[in-house]
């Protein structure tokens, strides 16, 4: 099992999560981060760090975000690794909490 980044990370990308990951298994796209499911050791450290509450244990991913499990696995194979916190996206506060952001995902 692994942890999964869900919908509310899109267009926020606060990156607090990467600071605590002991195995550096976050990967970064233009407006979203993903967790590599084969590298995540399920330590749960990142989950409370996300200001957008966008990280879930795989077995607790909400019903309407199930597709993010596969999406994390897919994009972790193509995006570059990120290990240090950076500024959130400029409109992060405005987008935080909006539902159904998947259509805004940039690859
Ligand atoms: Fe990294 Fe632990 Fe979060 Fe997995 S659960 S992504 S290992 S901090
Ligand atoms: Fe995204 Fe939350 Fe990390 S918004 S970048 S999962 S801290």
């Amino acid at each position: 099992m692994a942890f999964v980044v869900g919908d509310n990370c899109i267009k926020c990308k606060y990156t607090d999560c990467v600071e605590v990951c002991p195995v550096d298994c976050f990967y970064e796209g233009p407006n979203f981060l993903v967790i590599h499911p084969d590298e995540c050791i399920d330590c749960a450290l990142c989950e409370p760090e996300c200001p957008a509450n966008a990280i879930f244990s795989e077995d607790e991913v909400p019903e309407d975000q199930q597709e993010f499990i596969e999406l994390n696995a897919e994009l972790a194979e193509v995006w570059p690794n990120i290990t240090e916190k950076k500024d959130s996206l400029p409109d992060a506060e405005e987008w935080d909490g909006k539902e159904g952001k998947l259509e805004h995902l940039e690859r």
Side-chain angles (χ1 to χ4, degrees):
M1 213 170 58
F3 277 66
V4 174
V5 185
D7 191 82
N8 203 31
C9 177
I10 296 171
K11 288 183 85 69
C12 290
K13 204 169 79 167
Y14 287 111
T15 72
D16 301 69
C17 52
V18 305
E19 291 261 292
V20 297
C21 182
V23 293
D24 294 341
C25 64
F26 282 91
Y27 292 80
E28 183 188 20
N31 64 3
F32 184 51
L33 249 60
V34 292
I35 292 168
H36 198 306
D38 297 338
E39 297 173 4
C40 173
I41 57 169
D42 227 15
C43 71
L45 286 174
C46 57
E47 186 181 359
E49 293 302 317
C50 175
N53 295 318
I55 302 177
F56 306 96
S57 170
E58 190 176 328
D59 60 358
E60 290 175 354
V61 176
E63 208 48 53
D64 61 354
Q65 295 187 47
Q66 287 293 309
E67 60 197 303
F68 281 85
I69 297 173
E70 185 54 39
L71 193 61
N72 274 242
E74 176 195 337
L75 296 174
E77 292 289 345
V78 291
W79 281 350
N81 193 228
I82 173 172
T83 58
E84 288 180 9
K85 180 170 167 53
K86 56 167 72 169
D87 289 343
S88 58
L89 291 174
D91 297 328
E93 281 185 31
E94 185 187 320
W95 282 92
D96 191 350
K98 291 214 166 127
E99 288 181 15
K101 293 194 266 180
L102 188 52
E103 62 177 304
H104 300 289
L105 176 70
E106 295 171 33
R107 286 167 180 260

